[in-house]
Amino acid sequence: METKNYSPGILQYIPFFYVIWSDNLLSYSETSVVKKAIEQDDTLTKEDYNYLIGYLDKKTPPAYQELKHWKKVISNTKIKLVESDTYPLSTFSQKMICHHFDECPFNSHLKDIEINLGIQPNHYNHLFEIEIIKEITSSYYNPVELDAILKGDHASIIDTFRDVLKDPIFNWSIKRDKESFRAHVLKQVEFLAKEGYGAMAYPTLYGGTENMPAYAAIFENMMYVDGSMAVKFGVQFGLFGGSIQKLGTKKHHDAYLSETGKAKLLGCFAMTETGHGSNVRGVKTTATYDKETDTIIIHTPGKNDNKEYIGNALHSSMASVFAQLIVEGKNHGVHAILVPIRDAEHKLIPGVTIEDNGYKLGLNGVDNGKIWFHQVRVPRENLLNKYGDIKPDGTYHSDIENPSKRFFTMLGTLVGGRICVARAGLGGAKKALAIAVKHALKRRQFNDSVKIQEDLLMDYPSHQLRLTPAIASCYVYDITLTHMMKEYSDTTVLDKRKIETQAAGLKSIITWFANNTIQECREACGGKGYLMENQITDLKGDVDIFTTFEGDNHVLLQLAAKGVLSDFKSEFNSAGFTAVLKLLGARIGDKLNTINPIYINNTDKDHLYDVKFHKHAFNYRTRRLTYTVAMRIRDYVKKGIPSYQAFLKVQTHLLALGKAYSVELAYSTFADFTDTIKDEKNRLLFQKISALYALHELKKDASWYLEQGYIGGTKSKALRKHVERLSTELRPHIGVLIDGFGIPEHCMEAPIAT
């Protein structure tokens, strides 16, 4: 084709003409806008004017060959279009002139066309065969380094696992039928078992590596694929297999652990009942020992005493059943017994009834069901007897004589499940944030009267405030849960009561955080976030249940608060009057410090960002709530009110204490970890993340601190101001912070995130 040489006047208009004619939808009003600009452009020659006006007649649009030539002229310049320019297309046209001619002034008439027609890069960048620069995030920090910090000691295991997730079996798709969904999830779990991940937390003798912390880490990564897969995996290997490992003895390990880890023996964890959810100690299912036959009879006494919401119920052949163990007519409390529920042909064992729970809000790839037992007999050896046993002579024995202590010791061994639920919730929040942020770094909305290019959603302070504190929280909770699982897995620590208190509180605040964050991300993506293809809907449905399984969050927060009170009581009992004076002295010191006008209204940045201020503020809240709730309980008991009723009267106070304790624990753990980061650049980043988390949490509870006189109105306003300021300061790095989560690219399949 003949190559034409255009004058500067014509050349600068070619990108505009190419854009407005490519869709062939130029209206008469739009034509008049372009025509007016050309008529007022005194830089054009008469020939330029006639050429341009000639291509503004809707009745005779440019021929295909002419459009093709315009496109070639544009492409041959190899000029890059910068979306962040105030007038991207006008600036691009100016650069074209600069490419061919010595003089290339900016043409304000082109700017008028760009403004009046509202021409934006997202309207035309698909038309140009050129690279478009999108300046949306800084590269100052390295996401690989951030991911490495979060992975910690388990980097190689997590990286290998993420590679495993590249297998096509883990490709995401919309699944509406629960039967096919369940079948697919079972195949995924069996696939992971063959790769050795099912047995990971088990002893090496049974195919594992005894690496519970790494197991928890990959559990979070499963949420990047599918919540149903993660939960099904957790039920099979964590709950069912974990109960055998933690509550059973060698005979049970030898008989069942290897097959469980390989997913050859599918099992379920039958604890919760319809009539007894959070109150495990009150379950009604009985396990009565029959000395004559040397068997244990499992029985559901009433209609609502069935096991409820049991994951893996439809696929399992065995259940780990929690029931009241009755030996020689005496109830020895809740114990776990292995009960076959299906035979080799997958038919129900006589006496076992199972019903499908049906469709749920989410996790429809998990086969939840209800289970009833009618006089089902199992051998005495099926009792998981680490903490309580029935001897061959038919008598009961336990090394832990106190029934309450024995019960809580048994449950304490299963705390790892709560940590994994928190990790799964965190994984859901991370993926939702990744989708929302990546969308906000592409999606544009609104602009001012000068800048033609609409602004990125992520550049709006309100959007930053919606998402950035949540990203900071993800980093804080990630490090905290890693530390907690390490503590839980420490075999030298026999008393797990402290970690049980910590897990109860953190599981609560993190799963609530996850749900709130996912909802915020859904809204931040507008209607696109409501489409199933963009996956936030699945995350929303799947993570919702995390607030009530493995313990209802309100119940767990009270459990955490009671753990704090137990430590408080122990301190008093061990040190007596001295401890009381010590605590009172600390409270008086706090009061004197906080009523100081200089302190309560100190808005200096160095003070507000100081770890010492954050730790003191969180610790003050925890200690004050501990003392005041203890005094309230004491006063009620003094009045003759039973202790149980006294606790009911202070229930909301206990919830506040449990939350305060958990937030303090998370912050202190993260702040202490941050001090260990050797690379100064990353350490400073983590310090900024730490400050944002702290100030955001203090801002949320500002009313309490104001009531206590800990801060004044001026300082309260400063907290809000600096949360916004830190969110803005982290804006250039928001993409890197999201990539620092390490979510594999093959798990980010949402169209708005690619």
Side-chain angles (χ1 to χ4, degrees):
M1 188 180 77
E2 180 185 354
T3 303
K4 298 179 181 179
N5 293 317
Y6 294 107
S7 68
I10 294 175
L11 184 62
Q12 63 186 331
Y13 278 86
I14 283 180
F16 283 82
F17 274 56
Y18 179 61
V19 168
I20 62 180
W21 280 115
S22 290
D23 57 10
N24 202 25
L25 295 175
L26 191 64
S27 67
Y28 285 106
S29 61
E30 290 172 337
T31 301
S32 65
V33 168
V34 181
K35 186 176 180 181
K36 182 179 179 182
I38 293 172
E39 288 175 344
Q40 294 179 349
D41 189 348
D42 55 11
T43 66
L44 299 176
T45 66
K46 186 176 181 180
E47 290 76 14
D48 294 340
Y49 175 84
N50 291 334
Y51 178 88
L52 295 172
I53 292 296
Y55 282 113
L56 286 180
D57 187 352
K58 279 186 63 64
K59 295 179 181 178
T60 57
Y64 171 74
Q65 290 298 325
E66 191 68 20
L67 278 172
K68 189 175 180 181
H69 185 73
W70 288 346
K71 182 176 182 180
K72 184 176 181 181
V73 169
I74 293 169
S75 301
N76 286 344
T77 61
K78 306 296 183 183
I79 296 170
K80 298 179 180 179
L81 185 144
V82 181
E83 282 196 344
S84 58
D85 283 341
T86 304
Y87 307 107
L89 194 56
S90 300
T91 304
F92 178 78
S93 292
Q94 181 187 21
K95 290 177 182 178
M96 280 186 60
I97 304 300
C98 295
H99 179 75
H100 292 285
F101 301 95
D102 294 332
E103 294 185 7
C104 48
F106 183 81
N107 191 333
S108 61
H109 299 291
L110 295 176
K111 177 195 74 174
D112 293 338
I113 297 175
E114 194 167 4
I115 292 174
N116 291 321
L117 295 188
I119 304 173
Q120 299 168 36
N122 58 300
H123 296 162
Y124 57 74
N125 56 30
H126 64 289
L127 300 174
F128 294 175
E129 292 181 353
I130 58 175
E131 180 182 355
I132 296 178
I133 299 173
K134 295 185 178 181
E135 298 176 349
I136 57 174
T137 190
S138 167
S139 58
Y140 180 72
Y141 297 104
N142 186 343
V144 175
E145 293 177 5
L146 302 185
D147 184 30
I149 292 173
L150 296 183
K151 289 183 295 191
D153 297 335
H154 313 299
S156 61
I157 294 173
I158 294 172
D159 288 341
T160 301
F161 182 73
R162 289 173 179 172
D163 284 338
V164 169
L165 296 181
K166 291 179 181 178
D167 191 278
I169 196 173
F170 301 112
N171 290 350
W172 185 87
S173 63
I174 296 175
K175 301 178 181 69
R176 303 291 288 176
D177 175 66
K178 65 180 172 64
E179 303 305 330
S180 59
F181 193 0
R182 290 171 175 178
H184 182 69
V185 169
L186 177 58
K187 289 179 181 178
Q188 290 176 321
V189 170
E190 290 172 337
F191 181 95
L192 291 174
K194 289 179 182 178
E195 295 292 323
Y197 291 104
M200 178 179 282
Y202 303 160
T204 53
L205 183 62
Y206 307 105
T209 58
E210 295 186 82
N211 196 339
M212 186 65 181
Y215 171 92
I218 67 164
F219 195 74
E220 177 183 313
N221 280 260
M222 288 183 209
M223 287 297 295
Y224 303 150
V225 175
D226 183 75
S228 290
M229 184 186 79
V231 171
K232 178 93 168 178
F233 183 95
V235 168
Q236 169 66 22
F237 307 114
L239 292 180
F240 175 67
S243 66
I244 296 172
Q245 179 187 9
K246 300 290 186 180
L247 302 179
T249 50
K250 192 174 186 301
K251 62 182 179 181
H252 303 110
H253 300 165
D254 292 344
Y256 305 112
L257 263 191
S258 293
E259 293 300 287
T260 298
K262 296 174 184 175
K264 299 294 184 183
L265 170 63
L266 296 179
C268 57
F269 187 80
M271 176 183 280
T272 303
E273 294 181 356
T274 300
H276 285 81
S278 298
N279 182 17
V280 178
R281 201 169 184 178
V283 297
K284 297 297 184 181
T285 301
T286 58
T288 306
Y289 176 64
D290 180 11
K291 190 173 182 178
E292 287 188 16
T293 59
D294 196 27
T295 59
I296 299 173
I297 304 170
I298 311 299
H299 186 64
T300 304
K303 181 181 178 181
N304 290 324
D305 299 326
N306 61 285
K307 297 300 177 181
E308 172 73 277
Y309 223 91
I310 307 304
N312 229 10
L314 282 300
H315 290 155
S316 294
S317 58
M318 181 172 281
S320 183
V321 180
F322 286 75
Q324 304 288 350
L325 182 63
I326 301 170
V327 181
E328 296 181 319
K330 182 180 179 181
N331 188 343
H332 294 278
V334 176
H335 288 64
I337 304 96
L338 294 176
V339 182
I341 57 176
R342 288 187 175 85
D343 60 21
E345 297 178 352
H346 205 65
K347 294 180 180 178
L348 290 174
I349 298 292
V352 176
T353 302
I354 298 180
E355 290 183 3
D356 191 341
N357 272 122
Y359 282 96
K360 301 154 290 187
L361 176 64
L363 300 177
N364 283 301
V366 181
D367 49 322
N368 293 99
K370 305 176 183 180
I371 309 177
W372 289 261
F373 301 95
H374 183 73
Q375 306 293 340
V376 178
R377 291 179 179 268
V378 298
R380 172 172 56 86
E381 286 75 16
N382 282 30
L383 172 68
L384 295 176
N385 61 338
K386 183 174 183 178
Y387 298 105
D389 195 13
I390 302 173
K391 293 183 176 181
D393 63 3
T395 60
Y396 178 82
H397 171 76
S398 174
D399 291 335
I400 306 173
E401 294 184 5
N402 186 301
S404 293
K405 186 176 181 181
R406 181 168 62 244
F407 172 74
F408 286 110
T409 300
M410 290 171 61
L411 290 191
T413 62
L414 303 174
V415 166
R418 282 182 184 150
I419 301 175
C420 286
V421 168
R423 282 225 80 111
L426 183 61
K430 285 181 178 179
K431 184 167 182 179
L433 282 166
I435 294 169
V437 168
K438 288 179 181 296
H439 174 62
L441 290 174
K442 293 192 302 179
R443 180 74 159 88
R444 295 184 180 275
Q445 192 76 280
F446 304 112
N447 64 330
D448 58 28
S449 59
V450 176
K451 186 178 179 183
I452 184 61
Q453 173 76 313
E454 288 189 326
D455 292 320
L456 288 169
L457 292 182
M458 205 65 243
D459 287 334
Y460 286 100
S462 59
H463 216 75
Q464 295 162 11
L465 200 57
R466 298 173 77 176
L467 303 178
T468 313
I471 294 170
S473 296
C474 283
Y475 275 86
V476 171
Y477 294 143
D478 189 302
I479 295 299
T480 301
L481 290 175
T482 297
H483 176 78
M484 182 187 297
M485 184 55 83
K486 185 177 181 180
E487 292 286 304
Y488 170 73
S489 303
D490 187 348
T491 55
T492 63
V493 180
L494 300 178
D495 189 348
K496 302 292 185 182
R497 284 178 297 179
K498 181 179 179 181
I499 198 70
E500 183 177 4
T501 297
Q502 294 176 341
L506 285 172
K507 182 266 181 183
S508 299
I509 67 168
I510 292 173
T511 53
W512 269 327
F513 158 77
N515 273 277
N516 293 337
T517 298
I518 292 169
Q519 175 62 24
E520 194 66 64
C521 290
R522 205 294 297 158
E523 294 180 25
C525 293
K528 287 292 187 180
Y530 201 63
L531 292 174
M532 290 191 73
E533 68 176 12
N534 288 318
Q535 302 184 15
I536 295 179
T537 54
D538 273 3
L539 291 169
K540 185 175 167 62
D542 291 349
V543 175
D544 188 278
I545 191 63
F546 291 1
T547 62
T548 52
F549 78 41
E550 287 295 315
D552 178 277
N553 283 357
H554 285 87
V555 175
L556 290 182
L557 274 186
Q558 292 177 74
L559 174 64
K562 289 177 181 178
V564 175
L565 285 172
S566 294
D567 292 339
F568 177 82
K569 182 179 179 182
S570 297
E571 184 181 351
F572 268 37
N573 291 341
S574 62
F577 187 65
T578 303
V580 179
L581 289 179
K582 183 179 179 181
L583 181 76
L584 288 175
R587 290 186 64 240
I588 292 169
D590 283 337
K591 192 67 177 175
L592 290 173
N593 193 25
T594 55
I595 61 174
N596 184 333
I598 297 176
Y599 182 87
I600 66 172
N601 284 313
N602 188 349
T603 59
D604 183 70
K605 176 185 173 183
D606 290 339
H607 167 70
L608 292 176
Y609 289 14
D610 192 348
V611 174
K612 291 180 181 178
F613 162 60
H614 304 154
K615 285 189 173 182
H616 187 276
F618 289 135
N619 184 251
Y620 173 82
R621 178 168 164 76
T622 303
R623 286 194 292 112
R624 183 161 181 80
L625 287 170
T626 302
Y627 181 84
T628 51
V629 75
M631 294 305 103
R632 286 183 66 193
I633 293 170
R634 183 197 64 175
D635 291 344
Y636 283 127
V637 172
K638 277 187 175 181
K639 292 176 183 178
I641 297 175
S643 58
Y644 175 72
Q645 292 295 327
F647 271 98
L648 287 181
K649 286 181 175 291
V650 300
Q651 200 170 49
T652 54
H653 201 149
L654 289 171
L655 291 171
L657 171 57
K659 179 184 175 184
Y661 166 77
S662 304
V663 170
E664 180 190 359
L665 173 64
Y667 175 77
S668 297
T669 303
F670 184 77
D672 292 344
F673 170 82
T674 298
D675 289 338
T676 68
I677 299 175
K678 295 180 181 179
D679 180 76
E680 183 180 12
K681 185 170 72 172
N682 290 327
R683 183 173 66 254
L684 292 174
L685 174 63
F686 272 60
Q687 286 174 354
K688 186 169 286 190
I689 290 171
S690 175
L692 177 56
Y693 175 82
L695 296 181
H696 183 63
E697 288 295 329
L698 292 174
K699 180 178 75 73
K700 287 196 296 185
D701 288 327
S703 59
W704 185 89
Y705 286 102
L706 284 164
E707 290 170 2
Q708 302 301 318
Y710 188 88
I711 62 174
T714 304
K715 196 168 188 172
S716 178
K717 291 177 182 177
L719 293 177
R720 182 176 66 249
K721 173 186 173 183
H722 281 279
V723 168
E724 294 176 2
R725 177 175 174 175
L726 282 168
S727 296
T728 300
E729 287 179 7
L730 288 171
R731 160 60 186 96
H733 315 293
I734 199 80
V736 175
L737 287 172
I738 284 296
D739 291 341
F741 291 157
I743 302 175
E745 189 174 335
H746 47 274
C747 293
M748 290 295 294
E749 298 171 296
I752 59 172
T754 55

